[in-house]
Amino acid sequence: MSYELYYWPMIQGRGEFVRLALEEAGADYVDVARGPEGVSAMMRMMESVEHPPFAPPFLKDGDLVIGQTPAILLYLGARHGLAPKDPAGGLWTHQVQLTISDFVAEAHDTHHPVAVSLYYEDQKDEARLRAKEFRQNRIPKFLGWFENVLARNPSGGPHLVGTAVTYADLSLFQVVEGLSYAFPKTTRRALKDAPRIAVLHEAVAERPRIKAYLRSERRIPFNEEGLFRHYPELEE
Amino acid sequence: MSYELYYWPMIQGRGEFVRLALEEAGADYVDVARGPEGVSAMMRMMESVEHPPFAPPFLKDGDLVIGQTPAILLYLGARHGLAPKDPAGGLWTHQVQLTISDFVAEAHDTHHPVAVSLYYEDQKDEARLRAKEFRQNRIPKFLGWFENVLARNPSGGPHLVGTAVTYADLSLFQVVEGLSYAFPKTTRRALKDAPRIAVLHEAVAERPRIKAYLRSERRIPFNEEGLFRHYPELEE
């Protein structure tokens, strides 16, 4: 039986971290809200299940409904060899992913520093301040940490954890993609100080299943409804 | 061998979620940065380990060093019976905890909406806007979700998951404590619409080990250096 992924159909957003794991795994899945039933199928599911997700994305596998991106990846990682099998390695992969989630939440807040219930246009002044902090302090701090994790991995390869690709590698690839879209100048400069992250990003892009996915219709282009948005004024 | 908890010594902060789990478990632990070696021991550890945590809190158990509050609780929950043993129940507990973490991050941002590198006093205007959104929209949305989770739990008891206390219950207790400190009027009103959460909060406070902990010197009082801060102007 195939997985059912529930997420907003018009954006990459947080759902993209799950899509990348499913694609790399070669898993059979349906992106439900992009199908004929659309978003209403997602809303119905959120309201009816015993374990309601707080927000999309969520994944349905038979009777099991899992929300929260890091929890979904914890589940998929164990089932599809996208995380080490030993408990300590699995937990470390998850810890890296949770740090990616924190970074992503901060990237989102650059365009919504005051209220998710308001439009970007209603919080542009505050967004400028928050984006400046994000560019100057937070991007270097987070990328510095990931670079350090790569440097300390004794395997030496382009992997955050162990000797093989994990969902954390796929997620860091996606973060670089998103940052490069939202803050192109900042990210280009920052990656010069993070050569291992740049190598990881290229290595993931070249993985056959990821490469095919990125070229497919299934990969939604970045846009200004999503998590990573390109507002040139936020990079000034 | 006892656990070593590493966290800022002057605040409850995110470390408190771990402290509550350790206390409820009756686990032997050392709160290292509150001891003679202070914060410098924490900093040395962060810089020297193969798996460096991005930020405190982190927990050391023998050779294992685990960062990220939800990952620490996932680990402790499985070892000390603070989560269901079946994989689906364990994952659901974790999903609830991740949603608590999201809520807590938003609570933090009410006093730091622009930059963690700046003082509250330098972002008071933006804090007022963000706090208003948090009080009016986010507190009702999150508490509504937790209330719904309690209502849908077939066990009927004051537990988010299953029939026994989990680390998620302890964490929701702490969120209510923090919100009651930071936004007392708002929280008092909000809990009238969330009677199950109010009952859970009281039930956790009455657990013998938690009760003893809350009365001990180990429980640091809330203050304006922590995650939950009381600035009366943010509730106007």
Side-chain angles (χ1 to χ4, degrees):
Chain A
M1 200 163 65
S2 61
Y3 293 112
E4 293 177 6
L5 170 65
Y6 291 81
Y7 195 62
W8 305 110
M10 308 305 287
I11 61 171
Q12 293 184 21
R14 286 181 170 79
E16 198 66 11
F17 299 96
V18 182
R19 291 190 186 109
L20 285 168
L22 291 165
E23 293 283 345
E24 174 61 31
D28 197 14
Y29 75 101
V30 181
D31 205 336
V32 177
R34 295 177 75 185
E37 292 191 272
V39 167
S40 61
M42 180 167 89
M43 292 307 178
R44 264 201 312 281
M45 180 70 73
M46 281 182 74
E47 283 158 22
S48 63
V49 291
E50 183 186 329
H51 295 166
F54 182 76
F58 54 95
L59 186 79
K60 191 169 183 299
D61 181 17
D63 289 337
L64 196 62
V65 176
I66 311 162
Q68 283 281 359
T69 308
I72 299 170
L73 293 173
L74 184 68
Y75 180 76
L76 290 176
R79 286 172 64 98
H80 294 282
L82 289 173
K85 286 207 188 308
D86 67 291
L91 200 58
W92 170 234
T93 310
H94 192 51
Q95 182 180 334
V96 173
Q97 184 65 42
L98 289 166
T99 307
I100 290 173
S101 287
D102 288 346
F103 192 19
V104 164
E106 293 195 19
H108 169 272
D109 282 5
T110 59
H111 52 79
H112 276 78
V114 169
V116 289
S117 68
L118 295 176
Y119 290 109
Y120 163 64
E121 285 69 23
D122 298 325
Q123 47 196 309
K124 279 178 88 160
D125 293 343
E126 296 84 359
R128 239 182 228 268
L129 293 170
R130 177 110 189 196
K132 187 179 171 200
E133 161 82 2
F134 185 69
R135 287 186 284 106
Q136 293 187 342
N137 295 323
R138 304 304 284 171
I139 288 181
K141 185 173 163 82
F142 276 101
L143 292 190
W145 187 77
F146 295 116
E147 184 73 10
N148 187 24
V149 168
L150 287 164
R152 290 196 199 183
N153 183 348
S155 88
H159 300 301
L160 288 158
V161 179
T163 56
V165 73
T166 63
Y167 62 79
D169 292 334
L170 305 176
S171 294
L172 185 57
F173 160 82
Q174 175 64 10
V175 166
V176 172
E177 291 277 292
L179 290 177
S180 300
Y181 176 76
F183 302 104
K185 285 181 285 187
T186 308
T187 306
R188 208 176 307 121
R189 271 196 304 271
L191 286 177
K192 285 188 188 150
D193 294 329
R196 290 177 180 84
I197 296 176
V199 168
L200 178 148
H201 175 258
E202 280 182 44
V204 170
E206 289 301 319
R207 297 185 67 83
R209 285 170 173 164
I210 297 296
K211 194 171 182 174
Y213 168 64
L214 295 176
R215 289 179 179 175
S216 76
E217 295 270 315
R218 299 193 300 288
R219 173 79 163 182
I220 301 163
F222 284 107
N223 60 51
E224 279 55 68
E225 303 295 318
L227 192 54
F228 294 104
R229 303 187 185 185
H230 182 55
Y231 296 123
E233 63 272 22
L234 295 187
E235 205 173 19
E236 279 161 14
Chain B
M1 201 163 62
S2 61
Y3 293 111
E4 292 176 6
L5 170 65
Y6 291 81
Y7 194 64
W8 304 111
M10 308 305 287
I11 61 171
Q12 292 184 20
R14 287 180 170 80
E16 198 65 12
F17 299 97
V18 183
R19 291 190 186 111
L20 286 168
L22 291 166
E23 294 283 345
E24 174 61 31
D28 196 17
Y29 75 100
V30 181
D31 205 336
V32 178
R34 295 176 76 186
E37 292 191 273
V39 168
S40 61
M42 180 168 87
M43 292 307 179
R44 265 200 313 279
M45 180 69 72
M46 282 182 75
E47 282 158 22
S48 63
V49 292
E50 183 186 330
H51 295 167
F54 182 75
F58 55 95
L59 186 79
K60 190 168 183 300
D61 182 16
D63 288 337
L64 196 62
V65 176
I66 311 161
Q68 283 282 359
T69 308
I72 299 170
L73 294 173
L74 184 68
Y75 179 76
L76 290 176
R79 286 173 64 98
H80 294 282
L82 290 173
K85 286 207 189 308
D86 67 292
L91 201 59
W92 170 233
T93 310
H94 192 52
Q95 181 181 333
V96 173
Q97 184 65 43
L98 289 166
T99 307
I100 290 174
S101 288
D102 288 347
F103 192 19
V104 165
E106 293 195 21
H108 169 271
D109 281 6
T110 57
H111 51 79
H112 275 78
V114 170
V116 288
S117 68
L118 295 176
Y119 290 109
Y120 163 65
E121 285 68 24
D122 297 324
Q123 46 197 312
K124 279 178 88 160
D125 292 343
E126 297 85 358
R128 239 182 228 270
L129 293 170
R130 176 111 189 196
K132 188 180 171 201
E133 161 82 2
F134 185 70
R135 287 185 287 107
Q136 293 187 342
N137 296 323
R138 304 304 285 172
I139 288 180
K141 185 173 162 82
F142 275 101
L143 292 189
W145 186 77
F146 294 116
E147 185 72 10
N148 188 23
V149 168
L150 286 164
R152 290 196 198 182
N153 183 349
S155 88
H159 300 301
L160 288 158
V161 179
T163 56
V165 72
T166 64
Y167 61 79
D169 291 334
L170 304 176
S171 294
L172 185 57
F173 159 82
Q174 175 64 10
V175 166
V176 172
E177 291 277 292
L179 290 177
S180 299
Y181 176 76
F183 303 104
K185 285 180 285 187
T186 309
T187 305
R188 209 175 306 122
R189 272 197 304 271
L191 286 177
K192 286 188 187 150
D193 294 328
R196 290 178 180 84
I197 296 176
V199 169
L200 178 148
H201 175 258
E202 279 181 45
V204 170
E206 289 302 318
R207 297 185 68 83
R209 285 170 174 164
I210 298 295
K211 194 170 183 175
Y213 168 65
L214 295 176
R215 290 179 178 176
S216 75
E217 295 270 315
R218 300 192 299 288
R219 174 77 163 183
I220 302 163
F222 284 107
N223 60 51
E224 279 54 67
E225 303 295 318
L227 192 54
F228 294 103
R229 303 185 185 185
H230 181 56
Y231 295 123
E233 64 272 21
L234 296 187
E235 204 173 19
E236 280 163 14

